[in-house]
Amino acid sequence: LVALCVLAMVFLRGRHLSFTERAMQWPDAIGLGVFTAGGTSVALSMHAEPVIAVIMGTITAVFGGVLRDVVVNEIPRAFNDHQPYTVLSFAGGWIVVLGAWAHWGQLLSVLICSAVIVALRVLALLFSWRLPTWRV
């Protein structure tokens, strides 16, 4: 019981725990892929132009993560960590457009898009890929 109370105090008092933050990156990568593919696919099914559909899928995925960070009172990672997050979402959304153009079927194009985005995001996390930063 004492150990449980100490553990609870650590979680309540500690602002960030390294293993918790790292553990949240993997489901976030899956969410980025799934919501990009889903948002793009829904926009295409409503007869949006391809570029609009990709932008809608990107907004769906990226701002889901932004909303999550705002709810827990943190600066959104998409705005400050310089990792390829939005870029991967935007590029991956074009796979759904390609799948619609090539008549792959909605499910197959969504699955391929999700898998590619998740794989690239995992590689970005493993190899610490960074985008160029602005000089101030």
Side-chain angles (χ1 to χ4, degrees):
L1 184 61
V2 172
L4 185 61
C5 290
V6 169
L7 185 62
M9 287 181 5
V10 166
F11 278 107
L12 292 175
R13 302 263 315 161
R15 178 89 170 115
H16 295 283
L17 296 175
S18 175
F19 67 90
T20 304
E21 192 161 331
R22 280 182 301 181
M24 286 305 298
Q25 291 176 345
W26 308 112
D28 185 54
I30 294 168
L32 183 71
V34 169
F35 283 103
T36 297
T40 304
S41 179
V42 167
L44 283 175
S45 71
M46 300 184 110
H47 307 291
E49 293 295 321
V51 70
I52 301 299
V54 172
I55 290 171
M56 293 305 294
T58 301
I59 289 171
T60 301
V62 172
F63 281 97
V66 169
L67 184 61
R68 176 206 58 224
D69 290 339
V70 168
V71 167
V72 297
N73 199 25
E74 292 182 0
I75 297 171
R77 283 187 217 146
F79 298 155
N80 70 353
D81 69 357
H82 302 290
Q83 290 184 341
Y85 192 79
T86 307
V87 172
L88 293 178
S89 178
F90 184 77
W94 287 102
I95 296 172
V96 175
V97 172
L98 176 67
W101 177 78
H103 303 290
W104 290 347
Q106 188 176 19
L107 180 62
L108 182 61
S109 62
V110 165
L111 288 174
I112 292 171
C113 174
S114 297
V116 168
I117 292 173
V118 170
L120 288 174
R121 180 69 179 143
V122 166
L123 288 172
L125 291 170
L126 290 175
F127 295 112
S128 300
W129 292 348
R130 297 278 185 251
L131 295 172
T133 59
W134 292 96
R135 292 183 187 206
V136 179

